[in-house]
Amino acid sequence: MGTILLISKIALVLLSLCGIMMLFHYRFKVDAAFAPVFAVGTVISVIFAGGILNIMPKTITALYAAGAVLFVYYAVRILMRREKATFVFSPQTIIFFVGCAFAMLYCRDIIFHLSDELSHWGTMIKEMCTVKGFPDARTVIDYKEYPPAAAIFAYFFLFATGFSEPLCYVAQAIFTISCCVAVLHGVKWKNIWTAPFSLAMLFIICDISEVTITSLLVDYLMPVMAIALAAYTIENRKELAENPVGFAAITCPVFTALCLIKTNAVALYAMYLFIVVYILRKELFAKDKTERMGREKLLRMCGVYAVPAVALFIWKVVL
């Protein structure tokens, strides 16, 4: 009975996450390959905001409810043929949820075993589950300045199930898989023959980044999430040029999550922003009638992209 109840709770969390993924795919036209990382990044950013306001449990409950409602809403629209079932049957969606199932089976007996997990990453998740928010004055964590993105997503996952060391690894594995699936964005059923090449590229990226699902360390999350965002930008460069402010708004929560993985991620974020501004500068000035109009669009976009830096500042200085 206990196992069935646990599986039901995990299914509820994944169903809620799927609803948010469907929102990005159908409402914001995000490709199915990028929907998982957008959903995870948005969940992290929203819960971080809830933590700042000291309403983290209510925020997670609201996300569960909203995700479930969105799942039912889009499922009904698909059944009524008002939406195409492209998301449900896309190779990336199938790979993502198969990967989640594999992670649950593979990590079911793993417990905290690395020194950094015992001193920080695992302990932080446990304390968040205990105090139902960010660690407070009672914390035993030594390095309080480390950003909490991975711990936030783990808490989102464990809020329904209750604290469990193996499920901490499952949550981080889902975070990792959401980033890795984005590398397979070019794979479609009509050109499934390209899958081996995309999988080989993914394997190389994971090998270089030292990706693993048996560790709560976050160093490998930074490059794979940055690569996922870079792939999305390249894939949607036309949209970026046409509506840079709208593009910034939809990607901002994911970049916020990237910056909250670890402080070093700010360097990747700054590099990305510099390249985007450099590329867009000539593009916007060529399209707009005056240089002033192009400059205003760039400034508004940079204003939106300042949010991740502000979030990191709040964590390191204010909280």
Side-chain angles (χ1 to χ4, degrees), residues 29-309:
K29 309 304 179 187
V30 174
D31 189 273
F34 302 107
V37 71
F38 271 73
V40 170
T42 300
V43 163
I44 291 170
S45 298
V46 171
I47 295 175
F48 179 78
I52 294 172
L53 300 173
N54 203 27
I55 54 169
M56 194 177 285
K58 293 180 180 178
T59 304
I60 295 176
T61 302
L63 283 170
Y64 283 168
V69 170
L70 286 167
F71 178 84
V72 173
Y73 173 74
Y74 283 111
V76 170
R77 287 184 64 85
I78 290 170
L79 291 173
M80 295 177 67
R81 299 182 183 277
R82 293 184 179 179
E83 299 283 3
K84 294 182 179 179
T86 51
F87 170 80
V88 179
F89 297 110
S90 71
Q92 294 82 5
T93 301
I94 294 171
I95 290 171
F96 175 73
F97 284 105
V98 169
C100 292
F102 172 78
M104 284 184 275
L105 291 172
Y106 191 83
C107 301
R108 65 185 183 276
D109 296 321
I110 302 177
I111 59 174
F112 298 161
H113 56 283
L114 299 176
S115 58
D116 284 350
E117 293 172 352
L118 294 167
S119 64
H120 182 81
W121 301 112
T123 303
M124 186 173 189
I125 298 170
K126 190 172 185 178
E127 287 189 3
M128 288 178 69
C129 291
T130 302
V131 303
K132 301 187 184 305
F134 293 129
D136 54 23
R138 296 168 292 175
T139 184
V140 297
I141 297 173
D142 295 326
Y143 303 102
K144 302 180 183 67
E145 68 273 14
Y146 283 172
I152 287 174
F153 186 73
Y155 181 45
F156 169 77
F157 192 81
L158 297 171
F159 185 76
T161 64
F163 179 78
S164 163
E165 291 188 14
L167 289 181
C168 291
Y169 293 93
V170 173
Q172 183 128 330
I174 292 172
F175 191 166
T176 305
I177 294 166
S178 73
C179 300
C180 291
V181 166
V183 179
L184 307 175
H185 67 277
V187 178
K188 308 295 179 186
W189 290 119
K190 62 183 179 182
N191 64 348
I192 197 67
W193 58 271
T194 62
F197 301 100
S198 296
L199 288 170
M201 183 180 297
L202 177 60
F203 177 80
I204 293 170
I205 291 171
C206 290
D207 185 54
I208 294 173
S209 303
E210 298 182 347
V211 172
T212 175
I213 62 172
T214 59
S215 168
L216 297 180
L217 305 187
V218 300
D219 299 87
Y220 62 83
L221 280 173
M222 291 186 295
V224 291
M225 194 172 198
I227 289 170
L229 285 164
Y232 178 80
T233 303
I234 294 169
E235 183 77 8
N236 296 274
R237 55 192 179 276
K238 184 178 179 181
E239 180 189 343
L240 172 62
E242 292 177 351
N243 184 16
V245 180
F247 186 90
I250 195 173
T251 56
C252 183
V254 194
F255 277 109
T256 301
L258 173 63
C259 289
L260 290 174
I261 291 176
K262 204 171 182 181
T263 307
N264 298 356
V266 175
L268 295 173
Y269 174 63
M271 188 183 305
Y272 168 89
L273 189 58
F274 174 80
I275 293 172
V276 167
V277 170
Y278 179 78
I279 292 173
L280 282 182
R281 189 173 64 87
K282 292 182 178 179
E283 183 78 20
L284 289 176
F285 291 169
K287 284 188 174 183
D288 291 316
K289 294 180 179 179
T290 66
E291 184 174 330
R292 179 181 176 184
M293 292 173 64
R295 187 182 295 111
E296 286 178 354
K297 285 186 178 180
L298 276 178
L299 288 174
R300 287 199 296 271
M301 184 193 73
C302 291
V304 175
Y305 274 142
V307 172

